[in-house]
Amino acid sequence: MMIRDFALADLAGAALGTASPAQATDVPAYTCDNLRGDEATTVLYGACEATPGAVTSGAFTGEVVGQTRQYPIRIRCAGGGRATFPHEVLIRDCTRIG
């Protein structure tokens, strides 16, 4: 596992529900297979998908939501980042929301 600082112990009680990123938020959202990193810099990686309007190639600013398919983790990030689709999305200043 490549998850660090997003507290694996919290996974047992966490649930994503069935909402897609587009339904769960009005900010751009990314869904990838997994993540690595910490709150300062997180990388979502593997078969990434994005909601309509989200940047899929290059740098972006502002708030985004990220989630993984492999673990029930959702994060909201305020520091922008960089997308390299479909491989990965680097995002900054993240807080776990689910």
Side-chain angles (χ1 to χ4, degrees):
M1 285 182 229
M2 308 252 343
I3 298 173
R4 189 180 80 225
D5 292 340
F6 278 106
L8 286 176
D10 291 339
L11 292 178
L16 263 180
T18 57
S20 72
Q23 295 168 330
T25 182
D26 58 348
V27 299
Y30 296 96
T31 302
C32 300
D33 289 340
N34 210 336
L35 66 78
R36 64 181 177 265
D38 56 30
E39 289 88 353
T41 303
T42 302
V43 177
L44 297 165
Y45 62 93
C48 297
E49 298 177 351
T51 55
V55 173
T56 58
S57 180
F60 57 87
T61 60
E63 189 173 44
V64 299
V65 170
Q67 69 181 24
T68 67
R69 291 182 193 94
Q70 187 162 353
Y71 301 102
I73 295 176
R74 291 185 67 232
I75 55 178
R76 184 175 291 261
C77 306
R82 175 174 294 282
T84 311
F85 261 54
H87 308 292
E88 68 180 34
V89 180
L90 181 143
I91 43 184
R92 295 181 185 91
D93 302 326
C94 301
T95 302
R96 185 166 177 176
I97 57 173

